[in-house]
Amino acid sequence: MNKHRRWPWITCIVLASLPVVWMMLKMNGAFISDTDYFWHIELGKNIVETQTISTQNNLSWVGEERGLPFINHSWMSDILLYVLSSIRGYMFGAYLYGVLTMFTLSYCVYALWRECLPANQQGRFCPSVADLLILTITTWALYETRGNPRPQQLSLIFFVIAWWLLKKDKDRKQGNMAAIGLIVLATAWANFHGGTLPILFALTGLQLVAEIFPSFVTGNAKHEKKGRARRIAAILVGEILAGCINPYGITLYTQLYRVSSTCAAINVTEWQPANMNNAAWVFVSFAALLAYTLLSPRKIMLTEILPACAFAGMTLLHVRAYPWYAVSLAIFALEHRQEIQETVARLPWPIVKRQSQKLGNVFVALSVGAVVVMGSSLSINILTSSYYREFSDELTKVISSISPERMYTSYNSGGMAIQAGFQSFVDSRADAFTPE
């Protein structure tokens, strides 16, 4: 392989490592903060040990007493989390999962959209100052997915792949393979994190809406109808049917988003609407996105702006949807790199728009240095630290000596009780508990 041909892949690896280091800084400050992690591990452990996937809520004593059904729509992710935590404990498992999923997500974005990266005729990384600004925005947006040790991180990777496959479906030569890929992806998504499978349907549905919508040109936006409505509708139906290939079949769809009718929607931040306190960056970035759309040197296609707008709207309803908005923002920034560069080039500073291979080499070298130095030091610190435990070893021994039949836990402490070996009253599996 020509050494110049290796550069796009090397650049993608370096760029994908930057959000990981940023995430590790957060890990260094507070980790593990998501108590979902613990019951995911316990569910994975039960599956491995019993070789069965339970349909009853046995981790909660109230769930067991009332025979509450439980659909584990992330059972494959639970096994993965359990296996990783078995290597060197909970902290290492959470750290390793976060690093792997964040890197894979970022690498997929940069590798699948590598034609959008600034390069010279030899294919070597050749950015301008404006390009580095765009890559900084992309890195920040990918970091905002946070890399928490939960199954939704895998669904973000599926989301990126689905977006790319929908783009490839427009190509007649690659269309059939892309359509098959989307259907296969739906099956994987249903088993790794079926709770977010409707996001795949929404992404495909947006393409269907665009195909139904008539062509238009207005202001700084335009839309060209491609005549693919029947094909996209067939793909969407195929995805829905493929999503039924899971241990629960079509019943999986009856459990999705049940949380919105429970008290979790009132008391848990991630299920509340976005506001300036819990998601200020969403409002600021979306305002900047709309401003760019109005000031862009070329007309923006409806299909290019629609996903970011749709997932921003979902975030306004439930702030938990912000990771998908963040990924949409990162992809939008990459796809419009040249246009954003032209907009920035209007500034009276020649250095802003001048591309330089030397600048690219310096950026790669500094990035590699930062990843190695900071990554190594943060890794040592993270691996030697301990996570917050509401149920310490001493407290666990005291509770065990009492042998309580019923322990009353809160939404957040339930996961830690399960990790300590007790049944919870309620925990953060909000969809597992009825409104009563």
Side-chain angles (χ1 to χ4, degrees), residues 238-256:
E239 290 173 349
I240 294 173
L241 293 176
C244 295
I245 304 176
N246 66 81
Y248 307 96
I250 197 172
T251 309
L252 174 71
Y253 295 136
T254 67
Q255 301 296 306
L256 305 181

Side-chain angles (χ1 to χ4, degrees), residues 226-345:
K226 301 294 185 179
R228 298 166 55 243
R230 289 185 178 179
R231 179 178 178 82
I232 297 298
I235 291 175
L236 180 57
V237 171
E239 290 173 349
I240 294 173
L241 293 176
C244 295
I245 304 176
N246 66 81
Y248 307 96
I250 197 172
T251 309
L252 174 71
Y253 295 136
T254 67
Q255 301 296 306
L256 305 181
Y257 295 107
R258 286 184 63 197
V259 67
S260 58
S261 65
T262 72
C263 61
I266 301 174
N267 298 315
V268 181
T269 302
E270 69 178 1
W271 289 110
Q272 294 174 359
N275 56 56
M276 291 302 290
N277 291 324
N278 59 23
W281 71 269
V282 173
F283 292 91
V284 174
S285 61
F286 190 60
L289 179 65
L290 293 180
Y292 166 75
T293 302
L294 296 174
L295 299 175
S296 173
R298 75 168 179 85
K299 295 185 182 298
I300 304 296
M301 296 292 293
L302 178 64
T303 52
E304 296 172 343
I305 193 69
L306 198 57
C309 291
F311 290 104
M314 288 178 62
T315 304
L316 294 178
L317 293 176
H318 288 304
V319 72
R320 187 175 184 177
Y322 76 84
W324 291 273
Y325 167 67
V327 173
S328 301
L329 200 63
I331 293 175
F332 182 88
L334 280 180
E335 289 185 333
H336 292 80
R337 181 189 65 81
Q338 291 184 349
E339 290 77 17
I340 295 175
Q341 189 181 53
E342 290 176 17
T343 303
V344 175

Side-chain angles (χ1 to χ4, degrees), residues 194-207:
T196 57
L197 183 58
I199 289 179
L200 172 62
F201 304 155
L203 189 62
T204 307
L206 289 173
Q207 293 292 322

Side-chain angles (χ1 to χ4, degrees), residues 78-93:
D78 295 345
I79 294 174
L80 176 61
L81 286 167
Y82 168 64
V83 170
L84 293 178
S85 69
S86 300
I87 300 174
R88 282 195 57 186
Y90 290 105
M91 192 69 185
F92 180 81

Side-chain angles (χ1 to χ4, degrees), residues 95-325:
Y95 165 73
L96 183 59
Y97 180 85
V99 168
L100 290 176
T101 53
M102 175 67 82
F103 177 81
T104 304
L105 170 66
S106 303
Y107 183 80
C108 284
V109 169
Y110 287 119
L112 297 179
W113 275 266
R114 60 187 178 277
E115 73 277 1
C116 298
L117 296 175
N120 58 20
Q121 293 182 345
Q122 288 75 38
R124 298 193 65 171
F125 188 52
C126 189
S128 66
V129 173
D131 289 325
L132 296 184
L133 173 63
I134 295 167
L135 292 174
T136 299
I137 294 172
T138 307
T139 298
W140 160 75
L142 291 170
Y143 158 75
E144 283 296 340
T145 61
R146 300 304 173 92
N148 286 328
R150 58 198 308 182
Q152 78 172 33
Q153 297 306 121
L154 292 173
S155 72
L156 290 170
I157 298 171
F158 295 153
F159 176 72
V160 170
I161 295 172
W163 190 320
W164 180 76
L165 287 173
L166 283 168
K167 282 175 60 87
K168 287 297 179 182
D169 186 67
K170 297 177 183 179
D171 188 333
R172 290 184 178 180
K173 295 182 179 180
Q174 303 181 29
N176 291 335
M177 291 302 298
I180 294 172
L182 284 164
I183 293 172
V184 172
L185 185 68
T187 301
W189 201 326
N191 290 277
F192 276 96
H193 197 218
T196 57
L197 183 58
I199 289 179
L200 172 62
F201 304 155
L203 189 62
T204 307
L206 289 173
Q207 293 292 322
L208 179 59
V209 169
E211 290 298 331
I212 296 174
F213 212 76
S215 301
F216 68 86
V217 177
T218 177
N220 233 31
K222 69 176 182 178
H223 172 57
E224 296 179 2
K225 190 174 180 180
K226 301 294 185 179
R228 298 166 55 243
R230 289 185 178 179
R231 179 178 178 82
I232 297 298
I235 291 175
L236 180 57
V237 171
E239 290 173 349
I240 294 173
L241 293 176
C244 295
I245 304 176
N246 66 81
Y248 307 96
I250 197 172
T251 309
L252 174 71
Y253 295 136
T254 67
Q255 301 296 306
L256 305 181
Y257 295 107
R258 286 184 63 197
V259 67
S260 58
S261 65
T262 72
C263 61
I266 301 174
N267 298 315
V268 181
T269 302
E270 69 178 1
W271 289 110
Q272 294 174 359
N275 56 56
M276 291 302 290
N277 291 324
N278 59 23
W281 71 269
V282 173
F283 292 91
V284 174
S285 61
F286 190 60
L289 179 65
L290 293 180
Y292 166 75
T293 302
L294 296 174
L295 299 175
S296 173
R298 75 168 179 85
K299 295 185 182 298
I300 304 296
M301 296 292 293
L302 178 64
T303 52
E304 296 172 343
I305 193 69
L306 198 57
C309 291
F311 290 104
M314 288 178 62
T315 304
L316 294 178
L317 293 176
H318 288 304
V319 72
R320 187 175 184 177
Y322 76 84
W324 291 273
Y325 167 67

